[in-house]
Amino acid sequence: MTDPRHRVLIPVAVLEGETISEALIESLAGIPVVILGYHVVPEQTAPEQARHQFESKAQAKLDGLEAAFADHGGSVTTQLVFTQSDRKTFERIAVEHSCDALLLLNPLQSLDKVLITVRGDVNVDNIADLVSDVFGPIDATLTLFHVVPGAEVPDHDDPDQLLTSVEDALTDAGIDPARIEREIVDAPSRGQSPLEIIIGAADDHDLVVLGESAPSIRDRILGEPAWNVATQTIDPVLVVRRSVLEDDEDGAAGTGEGEDDNAADEHSEDPTLE
Amino acid sequence: MAGDPTDVTPDTDETADVVSADATKRESGTELERSITLLGGLSIGIGTMIGAGIFVFPGLAAGQAGPASMVSFAIGGVIALLVALPTAELATAMPKSGGGYYFISRGMGTAFGAVVGISLWLGLIFASAFYLVGLGEYAVATLAEAGVAIGGGPLYIVIGAAVGVGLTLMSITGTENTAALQNIVVGLLMVLLGGFLSYGLLDSIGIFGAESTPETFAPEGWLPVLTTAALVFTSYLGFAQVATVAGEITDPGRNLPLAMVGSVIIVSLFYILTMFVATSALGREALEAAGEVAIVEVAREFFGVPGAVIILFAGLLATLSSANASILSSSRALFAISRDLIVPPGASRINLKYGTPHVALLLVGGPVVALVFTGQTAILAEVASFLHLIMYGLICVTLLVIRRRDPNWYEPEFTIPGYPLVPIVGALSSFGLILFMDRASQVIGIFVLLGAFGWYYYYARAIRLKQEDSDD
């Protein structure tokens, strides 16, 4: 059974000079992407007011990115949004366009080493599926990375077993086992928080894959961990959406809209908005 | 610079916009995110209004009308409600930034729109100046409470003006994050005032403490009750501000009417209760003598110095929040008219560095600070009310006009009960209240309107706004 290809949302702050590096466009050309050109407007300003002044400039930049993807044979949808709340916009567009992951941009020279962080509490098959979809076509090393949070946190899976199950799922999906590496780090013995360890490990890699965490009060105050990684490393961060992480194995219940049958997905992904 | 008498059609064809709960989708495909929730909308309405009615007017109102001043506030509340309902209906049909200006210009034509748009911008400037003078009074009273000796001279004016400069600069540099702060401030005020007024109410009806000696209800007769209603109407100028962010509110069909009508009802209850408690606790003379900070003396009567300090603090917060909200709304009003080319489009240009409309904010903040120096609380308040009441009356007329014409694009998600009585009474009472204002305020108000019309005639006569003549 072939799964439908996963779709990735790439938010680009088009008016702040943010762009998608050539290497990244090349790497992502194999999967459908939604480029979200956005501009954050301060609350003193009506979004309509910003649109009035900046729409054509922003649209031109977005069109440039779309053309760059199309040159590499990628399937692209674009959307331009003026917003006062970037997080709300990302969430909404991700749901509307059935995206399973979000790519937080940082510049990329070349994509040779991918750091895939694996938590104990997520759906292994869905992650493997998404990872093989996105990184299958490119020739990069995939490092499965697990941080043991600490003795006091009961971790239902043995870390070794956890990574083995991911590795098996990846090889089942057709990834060459030679491309897969694994690393387990014990947080308490390093005296660092899991987040700090991931940020440290990111320095040796070109791109980080992270799972979105369940929203908690702490995250509301300190920010979603994935975003912190994105701002504190020089790597792009692929954030796998919660809906994907939590999907049941049978896939029917609670599945995101992107999990429909193959044919429907193939049709819905290519049209660009007029 | 004068507009040529050839037709000018601004790029504002918004009939093709698709409004969903979370975004406005324009014909070009670009989307405008909606991020203000119902709570945020209520907080804009209440936060703008509550500063004046409770923290500035009780002394002035009681001085003029005695305990019957609570009727003055009730009259104001009823008029506000009669206008809030039509405003809500129009806003759900046209959930665009610009509020009253937008509806009137689309319903009644460019001339009315231009006069209203310009006088809304100026009316909010008068309102902001009024709140800042009130803030100055509270700052001076706070200093006095802290035992800081104050020399003579208009210190309150200097403080009010300084805060006005500060708010404007903060808005321009974008350093403030007032939306989140505003919600907290409004919540805090509601809790503080709720507790204070509940205690006062129980005290006044004699549950604890001595039963207060009843005063003559309307010591000066009923005419002062009406003139006081005209004076204190400034306390209700916030609900239409919700309509100025109509383009940013989530689920506008539901949240706009709820935020507007809800905030009017909530503040009306607070105001009436405040006047009841204040006039029961202290006599009319004592309230009048305390002037703008009368409510502090009421708190002192109940809770001693700690009560006075808490209410002083609340007063500073409330007047600050009102002033800030009005400055931002005024800049929105200016954007709305510059988008339609009624004033030069440069007025709403956005600063590249901060992303804020710096020209508009300066065109608001500058006049505000200048008006603060007049120090005339009552006149500033009445001129603000005058200009708003003209708009409110015209909003009601617009509803009548649009419903009669019934164009295709008019599909409000919320329709008012009691049509056509509500907008007819709303319009008559809005215009009628103006008659009870002070002569000086009326004269200034009329001059502003004439000035606005003069500008329209000189600069914007040739402008044709699209929706007004579509499908006739």
Side-chain angles (χ1 to χ4, degrees):
Chain A
M1 172 186 145
T2 40
D3 275 298
R5 293 188 300 170
H6 292 277
R7 192 172 314 193
V8 175
L9 178 70
I10 312 177
V12 187
V14 273
L15 292 173
E16 277 155 39
E18 195 169 56
T19 187
I20 310 177
S21 55
E22 192 69 20
L24 205 51
I25 294 177
E26 219 170 297
S27 308
L28 293 170
I31 50 158
V33 296
V34 177
I35 305 177
L36 164 63
Y38 71 98
H39 182 59
V40 178
V41 183
E43 67 189 48
Q44 293 93 321
T45 314
E48 170 63 28
Q49 201 166 352
R51 181 203 67 78
H52 200 68
Q53 192 166 339
F54 299 127
E55 184 177 35
S56 50
K57 190 177 162 198
Q59 190 62 50
K61 291 205 65 173
L62 200 53
D63 291 345
L65 289 173
E66 185 177 6
F69 265 91
D71 284 349
H72 286 90
S75 147
V76 202
T77 304
T78 61
Q79 178 66 61
L80 180 61
V81 181
F82 289 86
T83 179
Q84 292 177 332
S85 165
D86 49 357
R87 305 277 170 103
K88 178 175 181 284
T89 301
F90 295 179
E91 182 69 30
R92 179 175 65 84
I93 299 291
V95 171
E96 278 179 15
H97 290 265
S98 319
C99 297
D100 296 321
L102 201 104
L103 187 70
L104 302 177
L105 288 174
N106 270 319
L108 178 78
Q109 299 298 321
S110 66
L111 187 53
D112 299 319
K113 296 164 82 182
V114 180
L115 184 74
I116 300 166
T117 63
V118 183
R119 291 205 311 258
D121 58 346
V122 297
N123 186 315
V124 165
D125 287 329
N126 285 344
I127 301 254
D129 195 47
L130 189 137
V131 166
S132 61
D133 234 22
V134 178
F135 302 107
I138 38 175
D139 187 33
T141 320
L142 307 177
T143 308
L144 305 180
F145 191 77
H146 179 72
V147 182
V148 183
E152 73 279 8
V153 183
D155 209 10
H156 17 267
D157 272 323
D158 172 48
D160 254 323
Q161 244 170 23
L162 176 72
L163 293 191
T164 304
S165 64
V166 180
E167 191 170 347
D168 288 348
L170 282 175
T171 37
D172 284 351
I175 301 280
D176 179 1
R179 283 175 59 192
I180 304 173
E181 290 175 3
R182 45 206 287 179
E183 195 177 341
I184 296 173
V185 180
D186 187 49
S189 68
R190 287 255 198 111
Q192 283 178 311
S193 74
L195 210 57
E196 287 168 333
I197 291 171
I198 292 171
I199 290 167
D203 287 347
D204 305 328
H205 294 79
D206 304 315
L207 188 144
V208 182
V209 180
L210 266 177
E212 198 176 29
S213 54
S216 67
I217 299 285
R218 189 177 164 277
D219 291 347
R220 290 212 175 151
I221 297 164
L222 300 174
E224 160 77 36
W227 295 70
N228 292 339
V229 174
T231 51
Q232 289 174 44
T233 69
I234 52 164
D235 295 348
V237 177
L238 186 73
V239 186
V240 182
R241 283 175 45 77
R242 212 173 302 128
S243 56
V244 177
L245 299 175
E246 289 166 358
D247 268 352
D248 291 328
E249 306 232 345
D250 50 7
T255 312
E257 297 89 319
E259 301 282 358
D260 299 326
D261 74 318
N262 204 0
D265 199 59
E266 292 290 3
H267 281 115
S268 62
E269 78 202 13
D270 32 45
T272 40
L273 292 175
E274 314 308 335
Chain B
M1 282 297 277
D4 290 325
T6 50
D7 278 10
V8 180
T9 310
D11 158 41
T12 50
D13 183 17
E14 280 143 344
T15 43
D17 288 4
V18 178
V19 173
S20 76
D22 286 307
T24 304
K25 195 174 186 74
R26 292 188 50 88
E27 209 176 2
S28 62
T30 304
E31 292 181 356
L32 306 171
E33 191 81 35
R34 298 179 173 271
S35 341
I36 299 176
T37 57
L38 173 59
L39 203 63
L42 276 172
S43 157
I44 290 172
I46 297 173
T48 311
M49 289 190 266
I50 210 149
I54 292 181
F55 295 102
V56 182
F57 281 131
L60 303 174
Q64 285 192 11
S69 51
M70 68 186 96
V71 178
S72 308
F73 275 97
I75 292 172
V78 169
I79 296 177
L81 199 59
L82 287 172
V83 180
L85 287 165
T87 310
E89 173 172 329
L90 290 166
T92 63
M94 296 172 255
K96 301 285 157 48
S97 295
Y101 158 73
Y102 193 88
F103 320 141
I104 292 167
S105 62
R106 267 45 176 191
M108 312 249 306
T110 315
F112 280 105
V115 171
V116 165
I118 293 169
S119 56
L120 177 61
W121 159 48
L122 294 170
L124 285 163
I125 285 174
F126 276 91
S128 309
F130 159 72
Y131 298 131
L132 286 171
V133 174
L135 175 84
E137 306 259 12
Y138 270 83
V140 168
T142 308
L143 289 175
E145 196 72 37
V148 179
I150 297 155
L155 183 62
Y156 69 100
I157 286 178
V158 175
I159 294 175
V163 173
V165 171
L167 283 179
T168 309
L169 291 181
M170 269 164 57
S171 298
I172 290 174
T173 54
T175 46
E176 59 176 342
N177 182 8
T178 42
L181 205 61
Q182 175 104 331
N183 293 352
I184 297 171
V185 166
V186 170
L188 193 66
L189 283 173
M190 303 292 283
V191 171
L192 284 178
L193 290 171
F196 166 60
L197 292 175
S198 312
Y199 182 92
L201 183 66
L202 294 176
D203 185 276
S204 311
I205 57 177
I207 306 274
F208 24 80
E211 195 164 352
S212 5
T213 33
E215 237 181 321
T216 322
F217 190 67
E220 307 281 331
W222 290 96
L223 183 65
V225 174
L226 288 173
T227 55
T228 306
L231 170 68
V232 303
F233 192 74
T234 319
S235 325
Y236 291 101
L237 298 191
F239 69 89
Q241 264 71 308
V242 181
T244 63
V245 295
E248 288 138 72
I249 206 156
T250 56
D251 198 359
R254 166 183 176 266
N255 290 346
L256 275 171
L258 281 178
M260 282 189 221
V261 174
S263 57
V264 167
I265 291 175
I266 290 171
V267 298
S268 301
L269 294 177
F270 268 95
Y271 293 162
I272 295 167
L273 197 56
T274 299
M275 285 320 299
F276 177 72
V277 169
T279 51
S280 307
L282 295 178
R284 179 185 159 206
E285 284 79 17
L287 287 173
E288 186 172 17
E292 275 89 347
V293 293
I295 196 72
V296 177
E297 299 313 313
V298 178
R300 196 192 307 279
E301 174 80 9
F302 288 139
F303 304 107
V305 174
V309 170
I310 289 175
I311 291 299
L312 276 170
F313 170 70
L316 285 171
L317 277 184
T319 46
L320 188 65
S321 119
S322 294
N324 187 52
S326 302
I327 289 174
L328 294 184
S329 292
S330 181
S331 128
R332 288 291 164 91
L334 202 51
F335 160 61
I337 52 178
S338 82
R339 177 181 55 184
D340 290 345
L341 306 180
I342 284 168
V343 296
S348 64
R349 277 205 75 75
I350 295 172
N351 184 303
L352 286 175
K353 183 168 172 201
Y354 302 114
T356 52
H358 59 298
V359 182
L361 286 164
L362 284 174
L363 286 172
V364 175
V368 166
V369 172
L371 284 178
V372 168
F373 279 102
T374 65
Q376 297 291 326
T377 320
I379 290 189
L380 290 174
E382 282 198 348
V383 175
S385 297
F386 180 106
L387 297 172
H388 278 80
L389 282 164
I390 295 284
M391 176 176 84
Y392 292 167
L394 287 174
I395 286 176
C396 293
V397 174
T398 300
L399 181 70
L400 292 164
V401 168
I402 289 190
R403 281 254 201 139
R404 267 185 81 91
R405 229 188 328 158
D406 194 25
N408 294 331
W409 53 262
Y410 189 69
E411 288 168 353
E413 283 185 57
F414 165 81
T415 47
I416 58 164
Y419 182 86
L421 198 62
V422 167
I424 289 174
V425 178
L428 291 178
S429 54
S430 296
F431 295 137
L433 198 57
I434 291 173
L435 301 177
F436 295 96
M437 286 181 176
D438 194 75
R439 181 57 52 85
S441 316
Q442 291 170 336
V443 170
I444 296 172
I446 287 168
F447 268 105
V448 172
L449 289 181
L450 288 176
F453 184 77
W455 172 268
Y456 160 75
Y457 194 77
Y458 163 75
Y459 183 83
R461 208 176 351 149
I463 291 175
R464 297 283 171 272
L465 298 171
K466 278 191 180 166
Q467 281 190 358
E468 65 185 78
D469 43 23
S470 60
D471 49 49
D472 255 334

